[in-house]
């Protein structure tokens, strides 16, 4: 089965299983990265939806055990419950839905010996922003290729993508930080 067909089937499956667009947005928000978190009003603003529709979905996802909630400074913060038995399958489904897995496989094949890729800055904290910061750790990185990809992705997303490179290796300490 081609990747295109697989993505179409997953999109159809999610559309039929998750009829609430608000719920799908919340699942993407919290399961694309386990570190993402949010509170009711912030999520309502980010998704440009009413607090009532967001509250309803947050309550249902929390009651089902998919989201954890905690109080911080008079706000209830929500994040994915990483200890839930369906966390990994849901995260994998969301990554496949978004096409992240295929993109990562392709990029890793061209980019050098990448040890890790992390979102930092606002996106790393789960906040939408005009700038996406990415930290790439590895050896023999094809920085020109990665910068070209970042520029193309930034144009499509209408965001600035800032890459930070750091050389690491099995016997090497963190050597130096490059930023383009």
């Amino acid at each position: 089965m081609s990747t295109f067909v697989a993505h179409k089937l997953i999109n159809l499956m999610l559309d039929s299983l998750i009829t609430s667009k608000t719920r799908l947005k919340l699942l993407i928000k919290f399961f694309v990265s386990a570190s993402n978190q949010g509170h009711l009003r912030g999520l309502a603003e980010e998704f440009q939806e009413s607090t009532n529709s967001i509250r309803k979905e947050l309550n249902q996802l929390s009651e089902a055990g998919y989201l954890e909630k905690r109080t911080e400074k008079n706000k209830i913060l929500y994040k994915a419950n990483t200890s839930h038995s369906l966390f990994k399958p849901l995260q994998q489904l969301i990554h496949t839905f978004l096409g992240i897995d295929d993109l990562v496989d392709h990029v890793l094949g061209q980019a050098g010996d990448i040890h890790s890729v992390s979102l930092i800055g606002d996106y790393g904290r789960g906040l939408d922003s005009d700038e996406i910061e990415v930290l790439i750790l590895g050896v023999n990185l094809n920085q020109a290729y990665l910068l070209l990809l970042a520029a193309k992705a930034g144009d499509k997303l209408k965001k600035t993508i800032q890459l930070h490179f750091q050389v690491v290796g099995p016997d090497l300490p963190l050597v130096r930080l490059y930023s383009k």
Side-chain angles (χ1 to χ4, degrees):
M1 179 183 320
S2 76
T3 303
F4 176 76
V5 172
H7 284 286
K8 283 291 190 192
L9 287 173
I10 287 172
N11 287 351
L12 287 171
M13 183 178 81
L14 280 177
D15 284 344
S16 65
L17 286 174
I18 303 171
T19 56
S20 164
K21 298 301 179 197
T22 303
R23 182 173 297 171
L24 183 57
K25 288 177 187 178
L26 288 168
L27 288 172
I28 290 170
K29 166 80 174 180
F30 293 120
F31 284 86
V32 74
S33 172
S35 65
N36 287 352
Q37 60 182 8
H39 60 89
L40 177 64
R41 291 200 189 282
L43 293 166
E45 285 178 25
E46 182 178 336
F47 299 151
Q48 297 179 340
E49 296 203 26
S50 73
T51 54
N52 286 339
S53 65
I54 300 289
R55 179 183 293 112
K56 175 185 164 197
E57 296 297 343
L58 287 172
N59 287 339
Q60 289 178 351
L61 290 169
S62 296
E63 288 170 12
Y66 297 116
L67 297 181
E68 296 176 340
K69 57 184 180 177
R70 74 183 199 305
T71 303
E72 185 177 293
K73 297 182 183 176
N74 296 328
K75 289 182 183 175
I76 299 174
L77 291 177
Y78 295 86
K79 66 179 241 166
N81 179 359
T82 57
S83 62
H84 193 284
S85 61
L86 292 178
F87 171 77
K88 287 286 186 197
L90 273 172
Q91 188 176 51
Q92 183 65 39
L93 184 64
I94 294 299
H95 286 180
T96 303
F97 174 74
L98 296 174
I100 291 172
D101 292 345
D102 291 338
L103 176 65
V104 169
D105 288 345
H106 177 74
V107 169
L108 290 178
Q110 304 287 321
D113 186 10
I114 294 178
H115 291 242
S116 69
V117 177
S118 303
L119 285 173
I120 58 177
D122 285 344
Y123 266 82
R125 291 186 294 277
L127 304 172
D128 193 9
S129 167
D130 288 337
E131 182 175 76
I132 301 171
E133 290 185 81
V134 180
L135 174 63
I136 302 172
L137 303 177
V139 181
N140 300 321
L141 297 174
N142 185 343
Q143 292 183 23
Y145 172 72
L146 291 168
L147 290 167
L148 179 66
L149 286 179
K152 286 181 179 181
D155 288 345
K156 286 188 179 197
L157 296 171
K158 295 183 175 55
K159 295 183 184 285
T160 302
I161 298 180
Q162 184 78 10
L163 297 184
H164 304 277
F165 301 100
Q166 195 160 0
V167 178
V168 297
D171 300 326
L172 296 174
L174 296 180
V175 178
R176 50 198 240 237
L177 182 66
Y178 299 94
S179 178
K180 297 282 181 184

